[in-house]
Amino acid sequence: MRIIVLGAGQVGRSLVEQLVGEKNHITVVDRNPERLQLLQELHGVNGVTTLCAHGAHPVTLSQAGAEDADMLVAVTNSDEVNMIACQVAQSLFNVPNKIARVREQGYMTQNHALFSKAAVPVDVLINPEALVTQHLKKLIRYPGALQVINFADGLAQLVAVRATNGGALVGQRISMLRERLPAVEIRVAAIFRKNHAVIPDGDTLIQDGDEVFFVAARPDIRLVLNELRRREKPYKRIIIAGGGNIGARLASVLEDDYRVKVIEQDMARCQFLSQRLRRTTVLNGSASDRELLLEESIEAADVYLALTNDDEANIMSSMLAKRMGARTVITLISNPAYADLVQGGSIDIAISPQQATIGALLTHVRRGDVVAVHSLRRGTAEAMEAIAHGDAQSSQVVGKRIDELPLPPGAMVGALVRGEDVMIAHDSTQIEEGDHVIVIVPDKRDMQAVERLFQVGVTFLL
């Protein structure tokens, strides 16, 4: 594919890192020469070219090869530049696939009328704040989960959980799950132990501290969580530090079911939130103010979420909240180096908005009939949902048993979704045309090989 990426910030760089080495021709456009120089040094030998210019200008897009481009991905820091770039790419160059990151809520509320072929021709809208809010909502719904991912419109879910002493399965073999939950179909798809992948089989012992990824039908998730951890009480009291876009969105979707408080330092923003939110308590002050946290009974909080735009402030207030008794601490961290350092200590879960955005982008950039791609463990692993097409002659997967698939080492099919039925994968399970196949890939470098399996051969097209 010939792909133009507008914006060499964290998201743009991460996207390029995901796509290099897959025989794509990638042109990255940015106005910052230092960012481009870094990309050129890292990936110049892998088919990546750079252009220092304004991304929405027709001359720039022409120089970037828009006449022959298969896709434009606009992820600059400006919503308006991203939108106009898509307009120019459509009107002047007829680029077939246009993806834009748009943050401003005002644009998103009008998306049906605004983002169309007759107006602003964006094929795929990516809103990081909405993606992070959805992710946080699922974590609050499932106490103890590190990550919750929907597949096949939510029929199946992939859940990550840290196994802890007191959970029924710590120190037991994976095969014990079937004995303890005979009515539940489940597949342990990956285990990470001290940052190293462990290929699971029935004899694998689950140890304290393991990150266990399992696939099950959505109604069975809570039962499995209770086996891997001590039984967690549902969350009730939520404190959100930061009333920005993400904090406000999250409070809005939670306030009908939870007791929510938002701490915001800016008085004007507090007044805006108090008018917009119906049942949420809005507090003016600093989330690092020990006295304020004491007054608001931080020790009784089930979840403390640090969602400001400042990584350092989020980390420090989270550590303070945990020390003062908050049950679970979730922290928004943009710098991936910080996220790797802090998660699992005072901070229970570190959330990267960049990784949420990258997962959404990869869903539309990957080859084959890929429905969804999700980053796991902050980008070190991936989970993919792909649709099997073709027949036994044209497809490498249709008509094959799971144990016959030439998957890379460690990669595993977790489940199939056939119609409305979730089928947990076993070696003897046979893939049929139209199945949604959920594949977990512990090493993201193997994704290209997995994608090739789902590409239909020429005989099917003829």
Side-chain angles (χ1 to χ4, degrees):
M1 295 177 65
R2 300 181 69 87
I3 303 171
I4 300 173
V5 178
L6 305 183
Q10 287 188 348
V11 171
R13 291 198 304 271
S14 297
L15 180 62
V16 171
E17 289 169 4
Q18 294 279 352
L19 297 176
V20 294
E22 298 182 9
K23 298 183 179 179
N24 296 306
H25 183 277
I26 304 170
T27 301
V28 183
V29 180
D30 198 283
R31 302 184 76 175
N32 186 322
E34 294 178 358
R35 288 179 176 177
L36 296 177
Q37 179 64 29
L38 177 62
L39 270 175
Q40 195 66 47
E41 291 173 356
L42 291 173
H43 306 299
V45 297
N46 294 318
V48 176
T49 58
T50 58
L51 179 61
C52 188
H54 191 291
H57 286 180
V59 173
T60 300
L61 291 177
S62 178
Q63 292 174 340
E67 294 91 344
D68 302 316
D70 299 297
M71 180 176 292
L72 173 78
V73 183
V75 289
T76 74
N77 289 327
S78 168
D79 289 351
E80 291 73 21
V81 169
N82 295 340
M83 293 158 60
I84 294 300
C86 289
Q87 179 77 70
V88 174
Q90 174 66 39
S91 300
L92 298 186
F93 305 105
N94 200 29
V95 176
N97 299 295
K98 300 164 292 297
I99 302 174
R101 179 175 65 178
V102 178
R103 289 195 178 104
E104 176 55 48
Q105 181 66 17
Y107 290 132
M108 301 302 294
T109 56
Q110 304 294 327
N111 68 11
H112 294 296
L114 183 59
F115 298 105
S116 65
K117 293 292 184 184
V120 182
V122 178
D123 299 302
V124 179
L125 279 170
I126 304 293
N127 183 278
E129 286 80 5
L131 294 171
V132 171
T133 301
Q134 292 167 10
H135 183 47
L136 293 170
K137 182 181 177 182
K138 286 184 286 188
L139 291 177
I140 290 170
R141 182 181 179 188
Y142 294 110
L146 299 174
Q147 194 167 3
V148 181
I149 296 171
N150 287 341
F151 292 104
D153 295 325
L155 292 173
Q157 290 184 320
L158 173 69
V159 177
V161 61
R162 190 179 304 281
T164 59
N165 282 327
L169 278 179
V170 172
Q172 302 291 327
R173 298 189 309 276
I174 288 176
S175 58
M176 289 292 292
L177 264 175
R178 188 168 299 172
E179 298 178 23
R180 295 187 62 90
L181 298 171
V184 175
E185 280 283 307
I186 177 178
R187 176 88 161 184
V188 175
I191 294 177
F192 289 89
R193 182 173 297 158
K194 297 179 180 178
N195 292 323
H196 296 289
V198 175
I199 300 175
D201 59 34
D203 293 326
T204 302
L205 293 177
I206 297 176
Q207 298 182 11
D208 179 48
D210 282 355
E211 287 184 43
V212 181
F213 288 78
F214 66 88
V215 181
R218 183 168 57 182
D220 298 328
I221 295 299
R222 292 187 190 277
L223 292 172
V224 182
L225 280 171
N226 290 337
E227 290 297 316
L228 292 171
R229 297 178 58 87
R230 304 180 188 92
R231 186 177 295 273
E232 297 269 2
K233 295 180 181 179
Y235 295 143
K236 295 181 180 178
R237 297 177 179 85
I238 312 293
I239 294 180
I240 298 172
N245 289 338
I246 295 176
R249 278 175 172 268
L250 185 62
S252 178
V253 300
L254 295 180
E255 63 179 355
D256 287 336
D257 301 311
Y258 302 88
R259 294 174 57 185
V260 181
K261 296 179 180 178
V262 173
I263 302 174
E264 169 58 43
Q265 201 156 14
D266 182 82
M267 177 57 77
R269 183 67 178 175
C270 285
Q271 293 171 344
F272 169 79
L273 292 173
S274 64
Q275 295 171 0
R276 176 180 174 184
L277 300 170
R278 295 175 293 103
R279 304 180 64 180
T280 297
T281 301
V282 180
L283 306 166
N284 178 236
S286 169
S288 297
D289 184 339
R290 182 182 179 88
E291 295 303 318
L292 176 60
L293 294 179
L294 283 172
E295 289 175 8
E296 300 306 323
S297 303
I298 186 65
E299 73 282 355
D302 294 308
V303 188
Y304 177 88
L305 301 107
L307 305 180
T308 76
N309 293 323
D310 187 322
D311 282 359
E312 289 80 5
N314 286 344
I315 292 170
M316 295 306 295
S317 73
S318 295
M319 293 174 68
L320 178 61
K322 189 69 172 183
R323 182 174 295 180
M324 295 178 68
R327 175 177 158 195
T328 300
V329 171
I330 301 175
T331 309
L332 191 70
I333 300 178
S334 296
N335 189 328
Y338 287 172
D340 291 333
L341 284 172
V342 300
Q343 178 162 303
S346 297
I347 294 171
D348 298 293
I349 303 174
I351 301 295
S352 166
Q354 285 76 25
Q355 287 302 324
T357 305
I358 287 298
L361 288 170
L362 290 177
T363 296
H364 303 283
V365 174
R366 292 299 191 188
R367 302 168 183 165
D369 199 347
V370 176
V371 178
V373 176
H374 298 277
S375 292
L376 309 179
R377 304 192 77 251
R378 299 175 299 283
T380 59
E382 289 188 357
M384 180 181 78
E385 176 187 350
I387 302 176
H389 287 305
D391 53 31
Q393 284 70 45
S394 62
S395 171
Q396 298 181 72
V397 298
V398 174
K400 301 291 194 303
R401 291 160 41 110
I402 297 296
D403 59 2
E404 294 175 333
L405 300 180
L407 291 168
M412 178 183 293
V413 175
L416 311 177
V417 179
R418 186 172 296 164
E420 297 293 316
D421 297 326
V422 178
M423 305 170 60
I424 300 303
H426 302 287
D427 287 347
S428 60
T429 304
Q430 190 173 65
I431 298 174
E432 297 182 2
E433 203 278 338
D435 284 350
H436 287 238
V437 185
I438 300 167
V439 185
I440 290 80
V441 186
D443 188 338
K444 69 179 182 182
R445 293 173 294 184
D446 293 326
M447 278 297 293
Q448 184 181 4
V450 176
E451 288 168 21
R452 288 199 197 103
L453 292 178
F454 291 89
Q455 294 177 14
V456 180
V458 176
T459 55
F460 179 72
L461 299 176
L462 296 176

